[in-house]
Amino acid sequence: FFFNDTATTEIYTQAFVGSVRCVQETVILLINKQGQTRLAKYFVDITVEERMALEGELIRKCLSRTEKECAFVEHREYTAIYRRYASLYFIVGIKDDEENELSMLEFIHNLVETLDKYFINVCELD
């Protein structure tokens, strides 16, 4: 997302990240259809090089899948749950085996609805 000022962008980031029930070792990505990262938040301690590699691999895996395929992807030690809304992909990567994938999918949906109500008519500028 692009906003006219940095204050609005910071509010958006805080609303997005602050609403997450922080599961240990979680990765949250917001990606556009071209594969560009719009927001990345890591709740795991990894190096920048590992982050870039993980993002690239997750992006390629999620973007290459069709709409008829399952929204859960196993990658490395993560389970990636993703959902596409318009031109954006919301990806949540979790390591916790006890975490319910369907609850993460519901979290993504609720997050999108909340952002839609909070930021009226938000869209990515191409």
Side-chain angles (χ1 to χ4, degrees):
F1 291 105
F2 291 106
F3 299 102
N4 293 335
D5 56 52
T6 56
T8 305
T9 304
E10 183 63 27
I11 290 170
Y12 167 74
T13 304
Q14 291 301 321
F16 184 76
V17 174
S19 62
V20 176
R21 182 181 67 82
C22 187
V23 177
Q24 286 187 352
E25 303 187 7
T26 301
V27 176
I28 300 173
L29 301 171
L30 182 58
I31 311 297
N32 68 8
K33 285 194 307 188
Q34 290 77 32
Q36 297 169 324
T37 303
R38 294 299 178 208
L39 178 70
K41 182 64 180 173
Y42 292 83
F43 297 97
V44 61
D45 187 29
I46 58 176
T47 65
V48 174
E49 293 80 18
E50 291 172 335
R51 287 180 184 196
M52 290 173 42
L54 179 63
E55 276 183 40
E57 293 164 4
L58 281 175
I59 290 168
R60 282 188 292 279
K61 275 197 169 188
C62 292
L63 290 179
S64 66
R65 296 173 64 87
T66 66
E67 290 182 21
K68 295 183 180 185
E69 291 182 273
C70 180
F72 310 135
V73 177
E74 295 291 331
H75 180 70
R76 293 188 190 177
E77 64 271 11
Y78 290 95
T79 299
I81 299 99
Y82 71 95
R83 183 114 186 233
R84 179 180 171 197
Y85 287 92
S87 64
L88 295 172
Y89 286 83
F90 290 78
I91 303 170
V92 177
I94 56 174
K95 275 190 176 180
D96 190 358
D97 292 337
E98 295 180 12
E99 188 64 41
N100 186 341
E101 289 90 358
L102 291 175
S103 69
M104 286 291 120
L105 202 56
E106 184 68 22
F107 162 73
I108 293 171
H109 180 72
N110 288 334
L111 179 63
V112 170
E113 286 185 351
T114 302
L115 292 173
D116 188 46
K117 294 229 186 261
Y118 188 77
F119 299 104
I120 300 167
N121 295 327
V122 173
C123 63
E124 182 181 28
L125 302 175
D126 291 329

